[in-house]
C-alpha cells in the first residue's frame, strides 16, 4: 500500500487526520514537556520546525486522539495529569512579509484580537505588550491552567529586513516591548518553546528571557528535527525500493545516493547525522535526485556578504573553517557574522570536533548543499557564466570529456574577461582564487575533479573516462613556470601506469590586465 508523503504539510493535526506518514518524534515532545523549562531551538529552513511546534501545540491542547499509536501514548499511559487542555498562544511568523514598517505590529495585533475574542476580552488601545498580559491573565483565570507560549520562526521579521538596519532596529524594539511581558509573568506560564533559523543575541526575546534554555547544540536533541538513517530505513523502505527501481539502482546504491545528496547534518559533535527531511521527501515524491532545498531559495544578502567580505571560498572544502560553541550559537548584533550565519542557515555543518581545544571544524553537509550553494555564488563573481552562451559548466564539461584543450582555454579566458569588479581596488588575487575554485569545484559535479590549495600539491586534477588533466595556475608568472612545477614536483607520477591520455597544463594570469595570458600543454 502506498503511503502518503507529507510534502509541504506543516500541521500535525492535518498530517495525522489525513493519514500522511509521520516519523515519530513524540519521545522528544514528552521530554520537552516534562522538563518544563523554556526552550529555544535553532534549525535551518525546511527542517521540520513548524511541524515540531505544531505537534507541541496539539499535545498541550490535549488532543490525545492525534497521538494514538505513537511513542508518547505509552509514555503518558500512567500519567493522570496528561492530556489537559492548556491555553496555547501560538505565534507563527511565517507567511507574512515584514519589509514595511508596521507589518510586525499588525501581525501581533491580529493574533491578539483573535485571542481576546476567545477569552472574552475587548480589544483595547493599550500597548501590544499590555494586551498580551491581559490575555495571559484572563486565560489563566478562566481555565485554572497556566499558559503555553509557542513561537515559530521568530527571526523572520528580522531576516526580512536584514538590508534595512533602521527597520531591523524597529522590529527588535517591537519584540522588546512585546516579549518582555513573559519575564514577569512566570507564574502564569507553563511552557515556552521558540524556534528560528538564527539566534540574534541582542534581540530582547533572548536578553530579557535570559532563562531560555538553548538546545540547538544539545546532544540529546540533535535528532529532534531531520531524519536519521534508522528512521529512513524503518519508515520509508517502500519508497526507497520504488526510487531505486525508477533510477535503475540497487537498494544499497540508492541509499548511498541519498546519503551523498541529503544526509550529513550534525547538530552536535557526538550526535547522529540527519537527512534534510524536505529534500528526502521530495526525492521520494518525484522519483528523482533533485536539488529541492535550493529550489526554495538562497538569501541574496548571504551571497552579497560573502563577496563583500572577500571570504576565501577555498575554505569551504579544504577543512579550514573553524568555530567555537559560542560562535555557532550566537550572532554579534547586526554584523551577521558569516560563520554562524552559514552554520545556522544549514549551509555548513559540524564535520569534526577537537575536544582539547574545544574547536569545531565546519564544512558542507552534502552534495546538494555544496553544489547548490556554489552555483548560487557563481553569477555574483562571473555574471556572464550563464547557460547557452558557451561559458557554462556544461560546455566546459563537454570540452573536458572530449579532450578539447582549445575549448577549455577559451572558456577560462572568457570567464575571467567577464568578471565584474566592484571597485578598482579589489584585489585580483581574491577573484582569481574565487573563480578558479568555483569553476573547477562545480565541474566536480560531473567528473572527478579535485582542487588543492596546499603547497606541494597540484592545483587541480581532473579525471574522465579517457583523459587526465593536471592544471597548475600562476599569477604574474609564466605558463612555462607553471608547467615546470608540474614536472619538477612529479605530479604525474601516480598515473604512470594509467592508460588514459594525460595532459599537463600550465596556465598564467596577469593581475594588471586581469586576463589569462599564458597556456602551455604537455602530454
Amino acid at each position: 500500500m502506498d503511503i502518503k508523503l507529507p510534502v509541504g504539510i506543516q500541521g500535525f493535526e492535518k498530517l495525522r487526520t489525513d493519514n500522511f506518514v509521520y516519523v515519530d518524534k513524540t519521545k522528544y515532545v514528552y521530554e520537552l514537556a516534562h522538563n518544563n523549562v523554556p526552550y529555544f531551538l535553532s534549525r535551518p529552513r525546511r527542517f521540520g520546525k513548524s511541524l515540531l511546534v505544531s505537534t507541541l501545540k496539539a499535545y498541550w491542547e490535549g488532543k490525545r486522539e492525534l497521538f494514538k499509536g505513537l511513542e508518547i501514548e505509552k509514555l503518558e499511559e500512567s500519567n493522570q495529569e496528561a492530556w489537559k487542555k492548556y491555553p496555547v498562544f501560538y505565534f507563527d511568523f511565517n507567511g507574512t512579509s515584514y519589509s514595511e514598517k508596521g507589518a510586525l505590529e499588525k501581525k501581533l495585533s491580529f493574533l491578539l484580537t483573535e485571542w481576546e475574542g476567545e477569552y472574552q476580552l475587548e480589544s483595547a488601545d493599550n500597548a501590544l505588550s499590555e494586551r498580551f498580559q491581559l490575555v495571559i491573565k484572563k486565560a489563566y483565570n478562566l481555565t485554572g491552567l497556566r499558559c503555553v507560549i509557542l513561537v515559530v520562526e521568530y527571526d523572520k521579521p528580522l531576516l526580512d529586513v536584514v538590508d534595512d538596519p533602521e527597520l531591523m532596529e524597529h522590529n527588535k524594539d517591537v519584540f522588546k516591548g512585546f516579549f518582555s511581558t513573559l519575564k514577569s509573568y512566570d507564574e502564569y506560564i507553563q511552557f515556552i518553546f521558540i524556534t528560528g533559523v538564527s539566534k540574534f543575541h541582542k534581540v530582547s526575546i533572548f536578553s530579557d528571557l535570559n532563562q531560555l534554555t538553548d538546545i540547538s547544540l544539545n546532544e540529546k536533541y540533535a535528532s529532534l528535527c531531520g531524519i536519521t538513517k534508522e528512521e529512513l530505513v524503518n519508515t520509508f523502505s517502500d519508497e526507497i525500493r520504488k526510487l531505486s527501481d525508477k533510477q535503475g539502482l540497487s537498494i544499497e546504491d540508492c541509499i548511498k545516493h541519498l546519503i551523498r545528496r541529503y544526509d550529513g547534518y550534525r547538530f552536535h559533535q557526538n550526535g547522529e547525522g540527519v537527512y534534510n527531511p524536505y529534500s528526502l521527501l521530495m526525492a521520494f515524491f518525484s522519483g528523482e535526485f533533485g536539488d529541492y532545498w535550493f529550489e526554495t531559495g538562497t538569501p541574496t544578502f548571504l551571497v552579497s556578504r560573502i563577496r563583500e567580505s572577500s571570504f576565501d571560498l577555498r575554505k569551504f572544502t579544504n577543512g579550514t573553517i573553524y568555530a567555537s560553541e559560542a560562535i555557532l550559537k550566537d550572532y554579534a548584533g547586526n554584523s551577521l557574522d558569516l560563520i554562524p550565519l552559514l552554520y545556522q542557515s544549514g549551509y555548513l555543518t559540524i564535520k569534526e570536533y577537537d575536544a582539547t581545544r574545544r574547536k569545531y571544524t565546519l564544512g558542507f553537509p552534502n552534495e546538494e548543499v555544496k553544489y547548490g550553494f556554489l552555483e548560487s555564488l557563481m553569477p555574483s563573481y562571473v555574471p556572464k557564466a550563464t547557460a547557452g552562451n558557451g561559458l557554462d559548466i556544461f560546455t566546459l564539461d563537454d570540452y573536458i570529456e572530449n579532450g578539447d584543450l582549445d575549448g577549455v582555454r577559451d572558456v577560462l579566458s572568457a570567464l575571467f574577461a567577464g568578471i565584474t569588479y566592484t571597485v578598482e581596488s579589489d584585489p585580483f588575487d581574491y577573484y582569481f582564487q574565487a573563480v578558479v575554485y568555483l569553476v573547477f569545484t562545480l565541474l566536480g559535479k560531473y567528473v572527478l575533479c579535485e582542487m588543492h590549495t596546499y603547497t606541494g600539491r597540484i592545483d587541480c586534477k581532473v579525471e574522465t573516462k579517457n583523459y587526465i588533466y593536471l592544471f597548475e595556475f600562476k599569477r604574474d608568472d609564466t605558463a612555462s613556470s607553471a608547467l615546470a612545477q608540474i614536472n619538477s614536483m612529479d605530479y604525474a607520477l601516480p598515473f604512470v601506469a594509467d592508460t588514459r591520455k594525460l595532459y599537463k597544463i600550465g596556465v598564467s594570469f596577469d593581475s594588471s590586465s586581469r586576463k589569462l595570458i599564458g597556456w602551455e600543454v604537455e602530454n
Side-chain angles (χ1 to χ4, degrees), residues 56 98 111 117 132 146 149 178 208 216 461 475 484 509:
L56 285 165
Y98 301 94
L111 293 170
F132 193 27
R146 288 182 290 187
I149 314 295
F178 190 80
D208 284 349
S216 305
K461 177 187 71 178
R475 297 182 304 280
F509 296 86

Side-chain angles (χ1 to χ4, degrees), residues 256-360:
K256 287 180 180 178
H257 271 71
L258 292 172
I259 291 171
R260 192 165 62 246
R261 293 189 66 84
Y262 309 126
D263 194 12
Y265 293 90
R266 292 174 65 200
F267 299 109
H268 185 272
Q269 59 270 23
N270 299 323
E272 185 176 359
V274 293
Y275 292 80
N276 181 316
Y278 179 75
S279 293
L280 200 59
L281 290 173
M282 284 299 298
F284 292 144
F285 184 80
S286 65
E288 305 286 345
F289 296 109
D291 295 331
Y292 304 108
W293 190 62
F294 266 87
E295 290 176 359
T296 63
T298 299
T300 54
F301 77 85
L302 180 56
V303 172
S304 63
R305 269 178 168 74
I306 288 172
R307 178 167 171 170
E308 288 166 5
S309 68
S310 295
F311 186 84
D312 186 351
L313 303 185
R314 297 171 297 175
K315 289 178 174 289
F316 284 125
T317 49
N318 69 10
T320 58
I321 297 181
Y322 307 115
S324 66
E325 180 175 337
I327 288 174
L328 295 185
K329 293 174 69 173
D330 242 341
Y331 278 157
N334 287 337
S335 67
L336 290 178
D337 296 338
L338 276 177
I339 301 307
L341 177 61
L342 288 165
Y343 170 75
Q344 293 179 8
S345 300
Y347 299 101
L348 296 177
T349 195
I350 298 168
K351 307 298 283 189
E352 297 176 7
Y353 179 68
D354 184 334
T356 303
R357 301 168 67 186
R358 302 182 70 181
K359 181 183 74 173
Y360 294 87

Side-chain angles (χ1 to χ4, degrees), residues 39-53:
Y39 295 101
F40 171 75
L41 175 71
S42 167
R43 285 293 183 267
R45 60 187 170 84
R46 295 287 191 170
F47 238 85
K49 298 188 297 297
S50 294
L51 177 58
L52 170 65
V53 179

Side-chain angles (χ1 to χ4, degrees), residues 350-401:
I350 298 168
K351 307 298 283 189
E352 297 176 7
Y353 179 68
D354 184 334
T356 303
R357 301 168 67 186
R358 302 182 70 181
K359 181 183 74 173
Y360 294 87
T361 301
L362 307 179
F364 292 126
N366 51 50
E367 286 187 356
E368 181 190 25
V369 174
K370 174 183 176 180
Y371 293 119
F373 182 71
L374 296 180
E375 284 171 358
S376 71
L377 289 179
M378 191 70 174
S380 178
Y381 289 86
V382 192
K384 292 183 179 180
T386 57
N389 65 359
L391 301 182
D392 55 280
I393 298 300
F394 292 110
T395 300
L396 181 61
D397 179 41
D398 284 343
Y399 292 145
I400 290 284
E401 290 280 7

Side-chain angles (χ1 to χ4, degrees), residues 317-318 450-461 470-474 482 485-486 489-492:
T317 49
N318 69 10
E450 299 178 17
M451 285 294 299
H452 298 299
T453 57
Y454 302 111
T455 303
R457 299 182 70 181
I458 186 71
D459 280 345
C460 181
K461 177 187 71 178
L470 302 179
F471 289 92
E472 188 70 27
F473 303 103
K474 293 290 185 182
Q485 181 172 327
I486 295 176
M489 299 296 288
D490 288 329
Y491 291 145

Side-chain angles (χ1 to χ4, degrees), residues 84-100:
K84 291 181 179 179
K85 181 177 173 55
Y86 286 82
V88 175
F89 298 103
Y90 179 77
F91 296 85
D92 186 352
F93 289 105
N94 279 313
T96 301
S97 172
Y98 301 94
S99 57
E100 293 184 6

